[in-house]
Amino acid sequence: MARALLIVDVQNDFTEGGSLGVDGGAAVAAGITKLLESKPGAYDLVIASRDWHDPDSDNGGHIAADPDYVNTWPVHCVSGTEGAEYHPALASDRIDVHIKKGQGKPAYSAFEGADDFGKTIGEVLQAHGVDELDVAGIATDYCVRASALDALHDGERVRVLTDLVAGVADATSRAALDELKAAGAVLATSADVEE
Ligand SMILES: [Zn+2]
């Protein structure tokens, strides 16, 4: 069996200075790189997702001119733009599988996306015999939450690396971690990751 790391949406638009930047986003990018470099044998597979929205579209009601920051959001992560790229501090050369999601629709969970060959994360994990999935990234209270819940639903043993996530708001981020723990995820940190 194998262990994988899922890096959720560590993109320029979700980090400081981006159109929907969260505090701590750049530190998450650097922290994930540090983990991968300090424990190079920790993961059999590294998967990363990117929100990847259509230009000039509300993407199924996901993007609004007057967003409520709950169900609607400002323009972010438009396909092919700088804002949709991985944060420069993230070691993107260490990513084995690149998932894109949200083309023309809202997609909080990375499990709703697919790689360049049309494979979902569920299919990729199954093909590689992955039974343990560590989850890190942005945002704790939205896409990390939804992705980790889907991983649990898929039968993975899930750890959320709480020092390598950043959220939109403190209260909802704490609630998301509580919900994930109640659903069966282990709340761990990068220090707990076995080499
Ligand atoms: Zn989005």
Side-chain angles (χ1 to χ4, degrees):
M1 302 311 274
R3 181 192 298 132
L5 175 65
L6 173 59
I7 304 165
V8 178
D9 297 8
V10 179
Q11 296 169 262
N12 287 322
D13 270 346
F14 292 141
T15 51
E16 291 88 342
S19 66
L20 196 39
V22 306
D23 289 342
V28 164
I32 292 169
T33 294
K34 187 177 170 205
L35 169 62
L36 291 171
E37 288 178 350
S38 64
K39 299 178 181 178
Y43 297 106
D44 301 294
L45 193 68
V46 177
I47 304 167
S49 67
R50 275 178 290 180
D51 218 16
W52 201 258
H53 292 307
D54 291 345
D56 305 317
S57 162
D58 71 355
N59 286 268
H62 182 58
I63 288 167
D66 183 22
D68 65 8
Y69 292 87
V70 177
N71 294 305
T72 57
W73 306 91
V75 173
H76 61 277
C77 300
V78 174
S79 62
T81 64
E82 187 68 23
E85 288 307 314
Y86 295 116
H87 188 279
L90 181 68
S92 54
D93 59 324
R94 291 295 316 277
I95 299 167
D96 302 306
V97 178
H98 300 269
I99 298 287
K100 290 172 181 163
K101 64 180 176 68
Q103 297 97 325
K105 60 187 178 186
Y108 293 102
S109 170
F111 282 67
E112 294 178 46
D115 69 10
D116 290 339
F117 308 99
K119 293 248 185 307
T120 65
I121 293 182
E123 290 167 341
V124 168
L125 296 177
Q126 191 168 31
H128 289 266
V130 172
D131 61 338
E132 295 182 334
L133 188 68
D134 287 354
V135 181
I138 305 168
T140 316
D141 32 0
Y142 290 91
C143 294
V144 168
R145 170 187 172 274
S147 300
L149 286 172
D150 276 351
L152 289 163
H153 190 74
D154 254 23
E156 294 291 326
R157 283 198 278 161
V158 175
R159 291 192 299 193
V160 179
L161 303 181
T162 58
D163 59 328
L164 298 181
V165 294
V168 173
D170 285 343
T172 46
S173 294
R174 276 196 302 274
L177 293 176
D178 288 346
E179 180 185 6
L180 288 168
K181 188 176 180 188
V186 170
L187 304 185
T189 73
S190 53
D192 299 316
V193 175
E194 304 82 356
E195 291 195 47

